[in-house]
Amino acid sequence: MKNKSVSLVLGSGGARGLAHIGVIRCLEENGFSIESISGSSMGALIGGIYAAGKLEDYAEWVCALEKLDVIRLLDPSFTVGAGIFRGEKIISVLRDLIGEHQIESLPISFTAVASDIERQREVWLKSGPLFDAIRASIAIPTLFTPVYSDGRMLLDGGLVNPVPIAPTVRDNTQITVAVDAAATVRHDLVSREPPEPPQDHTSSENDSWYRRNIESFLESLHLTTPHKEHKDPDSLEIISRSIDTMQALITRFQLAAYHPDLLIKIPIDICMFYEFHKAEMLIDFGYRMTQKNLDRMMAE
């Protein structure tokens, strides 16, 4: 099984997509050669950075993030209705960290999947600036502003193809490994946060105001797990659950049409979609889930 070439499919899932780093590390340590990557949303971000040869630089950076660091990376949009955040600040930080790359010049075949909502179709971004493609693929509706490219308004690839296997079907590789980063809920994996430490009153008043407002918005999403005590959902929670339901249904159809040789499932309730400060735990979980699946596959 070792030294086999792999087409790697990385699904959408917000912070859960950090588990993709552990998946990649485990595949490499087991002697697999990743020769093609297709990704939606966070899967496109991790896959593109890996294809550029900078995954460990990114992993070191993201593992150092704390809650306040994540909040500071959000840049409010002042365009009414387009999206709450512009998403340009995080992309600028990543460009500085990873460098500029053209997709067609990457040493590994890479496809970022985005959604053309006006034409109601998925778009495979296989050329051009890497971070332009990533920015389009991560444009979560209502959260991040859309990307306009070649007359198209592009949004998050997970809207139309959360686990994009189709771009890899013509690959000349030996096996296809897919990662579903929004899989069936496992209640035993629900993350429970320790009590917040006392506020640091030495921070600036403006910084505290900014943090309070962003945290208030994130809390308003109520992205909690289905087994919580029942209460009527608000509109943002309904939107979030609707997108999750839609993506789960699309994923089931995709997996019925395209059968990966190995499917790794990251449970949807392992963390909130914005909890990037849990990077180390998520990376470790992705590694362990991959090793467990590899052991099972090799035993067959």
Side-chain angles (χ1 to χ4, degrees), residues 25-26 28 42-43 67 74 79 94 97 99 110 114 141 147 162 165 176 184 200 206-207 209 246 265 280 282:
R25 285 177 176 174
C26 187
E28 288 191 324
M42 193 62 184
K67 276 188 176 181
L74 299 175
T79 303
L94 292 177
L97 179 68
F110 173 69
V147 169
I165 300 174
T176 298
T184 305
D200 179 6
N206 287 339
D207 184 68
W209 176 89
M246 176 189 69
K265 296 182 178 181
E280 289 190 14
L282 291 163

Side-chain angles (χ1 to χ4, degrees), residues 79-261:
T79 303
V80 178
I84 297 169
F85 305 110
R86 291 187 297 120
E88 299 306 322
K89 189 172 185 179
I90 178 60
I91 292 297
S92 177
V93 169
L94 292 177
R95 276 196 173 104
D96 290 342
L97 179 68
I98 307 303
E100 295 284 1
H101 298 271
Q102 295 293 118
I103 294 175
E104 59 269 33
S105 299
L106 295 174
I108 296 174
S109 174
F110 173 69
T111 303
V113 176
S115 303
D116 180 344
I117 61 169
E118 292 179 335
R119 296 176 176 83
Q120 299 182 337
R121 65 181 65 170
E122 64 185 273
V123 176
W124 296 357
L125 303 171
K126 302 171 71 72
S127 62
L130 174 63
F131 280 104
D132 286 359
I134 289 173
R135 173 63 182 85
S137 190
I138 66 171
I140 302 171
T142 74
L143 285 183
F144 294 112
T145 55
V147 169
Y148 294 90
S149 174
D150 298 328
R152 302 171 299 191
M153 182 170 68
L154 303 180
L155 285 167
D156 193 299
L159 293 175
V160 291
N161 202 343
V163 185
I165 300 174
T168 69
V169 294
R170 295 183 182 274
D171 289 347
N172 186 27
T173 54
Q174 293 169 290
I175 65 170
T176 298
V177 177
V179 186
D180 179 3
T184 305
V185 170
R186 284 182 54 186
H187 301 317
D188 58 307
L189 290 173
V190 176
S191 174
R192 304 205 179 274
E193 286 291 316
E196 288 290 329
Q199 292 294 319
D200 179 6
H201 296 293
T202 61
S203 60
S204 71
E205 185 175 340
N206 287 339
D207 184 68
S208 296
W209 176 89
Y210 182 75
R211 178 179 181 177
R212 285 197 305 272
N213 278 273
I214 297 298
E215 285 184 334
S216 176
F217 162 72
L218 293 176
E219 289 300 323
S220 74
L221 293 178
H222 296 305
L223 295 177
T224 48
T225 52
H227 65 284
K228 68 176 185 176
E229 183 179 349
H230 173 76
K231 74 173 184 176
D232 292 333
D234 59 23
S235 58
L236 285 171
E237 185 175 3
I238 289 173
I239 291 171
S240 174
R241 290 187 181 181
S242 298
I243 291 175
D244 285 342
T245 301
M246 176 189 69
Q247 291 185 339
L249 182 61
I250 294 171
T251 296
R252 287 198 291 271
F253 278 115
Q254 290 290 330
L255 293 175
Y258 303 101
H259 302 282
D261 299 283

